[in-house]
Amino acid sequence: MSTSTSTFVRNDSTESTGWWRTAVIYQVYPRSFADGNGDGTGDLAGVRSRLPYLASLGVDAIWFTPWYSSPLADGGYDVADYRAIDPAFGTLEEAESLIAEAAALGIRTIVDIVPNHVSDQHEWFRAALAAGPGSPERQRFWFREGGGPDGSEPPTDWVSSFSGGTWTRTVNADGSPGEWYLHLFAPQQPDLNWNHPDVRREHEDVLRFWFDRGAAGIRIDSATMPVKDPELPELVGEQRPGEHPFVDRDELHDIYRGWRAVADSYEEPRVLVGEIWLADQHRFARYLRPDEMHTAFNFDFMMRPWDPDQLRASIRSTVEAHRPVGAPPTWTLSNHDVTRPVTRYGREDSSFGFAARRFGIPTDLATGRRRARAAALLTGALPGSLYLYQGDELGLPEVEDLPLDALQDPMHFRSDGVDPGRDGCRVPLPWTAHGPSFGFGDGGSWLPQPTGWGEYSVSSQEDDPDSVLSLYRRMLAIRRTEPALLGGSFDWLGSDGGVLAFRRGGDLVCLVNLGPATALPPHTSVLLASGDLDGDLLPTDTAVWLRS
């Protein structure tokens, strides 16, 4: 077994322990990034071959969604073994090599940890099923007797994040109906009992396992959900903060303080990034206190519509929420769960919500592309760190006409086919204009790519100065070298109307026009614009960075 001892050389304008404060972090969904062996599934060999591309793009770190051994019932978020790479992706040795090779290019690696649940193929859960009711093995999970006279009713009426119920009944060794087990997501993802010392000890060991191999940090999936009220009460009415039976319970903070202690024990402290979906900004900020997580995903901004008042309110509340705890905000336009911005911003309702996702919603892709380009400059100019989901730098739209028999996402099936699911933003990337899978690999792809996918490819865009890829490369190059964007102050310029206007540092101004064409303010130069300017006018749905 080898371990990575590579050093990191990029983003040297920040202290080594604070690289994450202004970092650009690129999300890789391994199945769909690049296929190195031609079997139609993205893998680590494919990522390794494309590291020069990521370096030329100008990212500081890669966040990998789960690459662990998994039956892939939920895209890898059903982990069977945290210490093994899934054979579809490669080997542990390849992961170690990838981490080291990326580090040599100045790119850090963040891995995904899923504390709420494991796969039903995990050795712990298989042992729990084999051991039977009342066994110590079952105490690591939430097994309960059912309700009703014959135990045929689930213990609670909780609703799954993937629609449907949250309990599945087991079968005893003699074939009779057995206990029920809890799963807040799919039945193949049994929830762990975080009151059990084995669960806490195992996860801290997993953190060390990956930190020892050079991982610079972890992203914590569904970070507000692992702890449950042991009484498993029904959800009745509104829950007061901290009293929800399985969301944002106060006991979580002690767990993450333990994780922070592990992260801080390394010569270069590792970074904790939380997936925290909370409307209450005060409760959100508690996870970012100095002895807990370093940063958390900003879902509020990502879900807002293309509306100046909505975006302004989200930016303001985000900055204000982070200020008391001294944590940097994060900004992103999408991820592997969310409708891509080019499609979303072209709709009449350009906000995002899982409950509203449906087949057949019309979109104007030309409008969506224009707005997505402007949104890129908006997020790139805001204070804090920036997350890019693979393919957004190519302006990929959501693939909304996948054949029904090609869909794989459990959100689609558990909604009885009403929700199209998340496969549309997970279609494998196009690298070349032509070829059997547009350069994704030598063969096909695990999800079918549209016929015209090649027009969005890297090869089609890299020499086009007006392409989305060229825009992102210029934006990230300026962001890397511009002092105002590497920790400069943030000040609003005006507080209403159709233009979002703010100043970073002493003389960099960002304007984003969501209304009619408007005059540019006095300036000495234009650093970057998301689209063509009309003389001294800033057109609708256009953003610009100015030197004032």
Side-chain angles (χ1 to χ4, degrees):
M1 179 185 71
S2 63
T3 59
S4 172
T5 58
S6 300
T7 57
F8 303 99
V9 297
R10 291 183 60 182
N11 216 11
D12 54 6
S13 59
T14 60
E15 295 181 1
S16 62
T17 56
W19 65 269
W20 39 272
R21 288 187 167 272
T22 58
V24 176
I25 302 169
Y26 187 96
Q27 181 190 352
V28 167
Y29 189 74
R31 294 178 81 185
S32 300
F33 186 72
D35 175 15
N37 63 8
D39 66 355
T41 296
D43 49 36
L44 302 191
V47 177
R48 292 171 69 186
S49 73
R50 299 295 183 177
L51 286 175
Y53 166 79
L54 295 176
S56 71
L57 185 60
V59 304
D60 299 296
I62 308 170
W63 155 39
F64 286 92
T65 56
W67 55 13
Y68 315 109
S69 176
S70 169
L72 298 178
D74 179 27
Y77 282 91
D78 48 320
V79 178
D81 185 352
Y82 272 111
R83 296 172 178 84
I85 298 296
D86 194 272
F89 300 145
T91 65
L92 179 59
E93 290 72 20
E94 284 183 288
E96 292 173 343
S97 295
L98 192 162
I99 292 170
E101 291 163 8
L105 294 172
I107 300 174
R108 291 170 167 87
T109 297
I110 295 173
V111 298
D112 224 313
I113 299 295
V114 190
N116 182 71
H117 50 262
V118 293
S119 166
D120 60 358
Q121 300 304 306
H122 191 283
E123 62 179 358
W124 279 6
F125 193 70
R126 295 201 310 268
L129 291 179
S135 63
E137 290 83 354
R138 291 202 172 188
Q139 300 309 307
R140 295 167 172 157
F141 300 91
W142 295 98
F143 283 88
R144 291 292 186 272
E145 294 290 340
D150 57 356
S152 62
E153 299 177 9
T156 72
D157 290 331
W158 296 352
V159 176
S160 167
S161 296
F162 286 171
S163 301
T166 58
W167 295 89
T168 291
R169 197 170 193 183
T170 63
V171 178
N172 293 323
D174 62 2
S176 62
E179 293 181 318
W180 297 70
Y181 69 87
L182 176 67
H183 51 85
L184 293 181
F185 293 87
Q188 298 90 342
Q189 297 167 289
D191 279 34
L192 291 164
N193 176 10
W194 274 87
N195 297 324
H196 198 293
D198 285 357
V199 175
R200 181 162 182 167
R201 182 167 51 247
E202 167 67 3
H203 280 74
E204 291 185 359
D205 286 347
V206 166
L207 299 191
R208 294 186 185 94
F209 181 88
W210 285 105
F211 292 162
D212 288 346
R213 281 156 181 78
I218 61 165
R219 178 262 192 187
I220 307 165
D221 180 71
S222 300
T224 64
M225 299 177 72
V227 172
K228 317 297 189 289
D229 182 337
E231 298 299 319
L232 302 179
E234 291 287 3
L235 283 165
V236 179
E238 292 291 326
Q239 285 73 43
R240 291 185 297 180
E243 295 187 0
H244 192 286
F246 59 83
V247 175
D248 185 34
R249 297 191 59 80
D250 290 336
E251 300 93 323
L252 283 164
H253 297 284
D254 185 54
I255 293 170
Y256 296 135
R257 289 188 186 99
W259 289 21
R260 180 62 177 262
V262 173
D264 286 348
S265 69
Y266 287 79
E267 183 177 356
E268 181 183 15
R270 283 15 182 185
V271 175
L272 309 182
V273 182
E275 182 192 28
I276 301 174
W277 294 76
L278 288 178
D280 187 315
Q281 293 282 16
H282 171 71
R283 299 288 296 186
F284 172 90
R286 295 175 76 231
Y287 291 86
L288 300 177
R289 290 175 290 193
D291 60 346
E292 295 189 44
M293 299 179 196
H294 297 79
T295 65
F297 285 99
N298 184 2
F299 291 106
D300 179 78
F301 179 84
M302 180 176 64
M303 299 174 77
R304 297 282 184 131
W306 188 250
D307 174 88
D309 294 333
Q310 292 267 358
L311 294 176
R312 186 181 293 110
S314 181
I315 295 168
R316 180 178 289 114
S317 63
T318 297
V319 171
E320 290 175 353
H322 286 75
R323 185 177 293 117
V325 290
T330 67
W331 310 96
T332 188
L333 298 177
S334 69
N335 61 35
H336 64 292
D337 292 330
V338 175
T339 303
R340 287 196 181 269
V342 166
T343 297
R344 190 170 77 243
Y345 286 145
R347 290 177 171 167
E348 183 177 354
D349 179 1
S350 55
S351 64
F352 177 80
F354 288 106
R357 187 167 50 192
R358 294 292 183 267
F359 288 99
I361 301 176
T363 187
D364 179 345
L365 287 181
T367 298
R369 290 189 191 100
R370 190 169 60 249
R371 291 174 173 176
R373 289 173 66 103
L377 265 61
L378 170 60
T379 54
L382 291 169
S385 57
L386 176 64
Y387 281 79
L388 306 180
Y389 175 50
Q390 64 179 42
D392 280 355
E393 81 279 12
L394 302 177
L396 294 183
E398 187 86 355
V399 180
E400 300 191 282
D401 57 354
L402 288 168
L404 291 179
D405 60 3
L407 297 180
Q408 301 190 26
D409 184 18
M411 292 191 80
H412 168 69
F413 299 105
R414 287 177 60 81
S415 70
D416 294 325
V418 173
D419 184 341
R422 299 165 292 179
D423 292 314
C425 65
R426 301 175 177 182
V427 173
L429 298 189
W431 293 92
T432 59
H434 306 287
S437 60
F438 301 105
F440 171 67
D442 294 333
S445 59
W446 70 278
L447 282 174
Q449 299 161 302
T451 303
W453 211 225
E455 69 180 272
Y456 298 104
S457 67
V458 174
S459 68
S460 295
Q461 296 195 45
E462 58 187 353
D463 295 325
D464 178 0
D466 296 324
S467 70
V468 179
L469 177 58
S470 293
L471 176 69
Y472 267 87
R473 282 179 168 161
R474 292 195 301 271
M475 177 184 76
L476 298 186
I478 295 172
R479 182 184 166 99
R480 178 173 297 283
T481 58
E482 176 58 52
L485 298 177
L486 292 174
S489 60
F490 172 86
D491 300 291
W492 287 106
L493 302 175
S495 60
D496 54 21
V499 177
L500 300 177
F502 54 88
R503 185 187 305 277
R504 294 297 312 279
D507 63 352
L508 192 150
V509 171
C510 176
L511 304 174
V512 186
N513 185 18
L514 290 80
T518 187
L520 293 172
H523 58 279
T524 60
S525 63
V526 174
L527 296 179
L528 187 62
S530 65
D532 292 334
L533 302 180
D534 183 9
D536 287 331
L537 293 179
L538 182 63
T540 301
D541 295 332
T542 306
V544 65
W545 292 357
L546 302 175
R547 185 77 71 192
S548 64

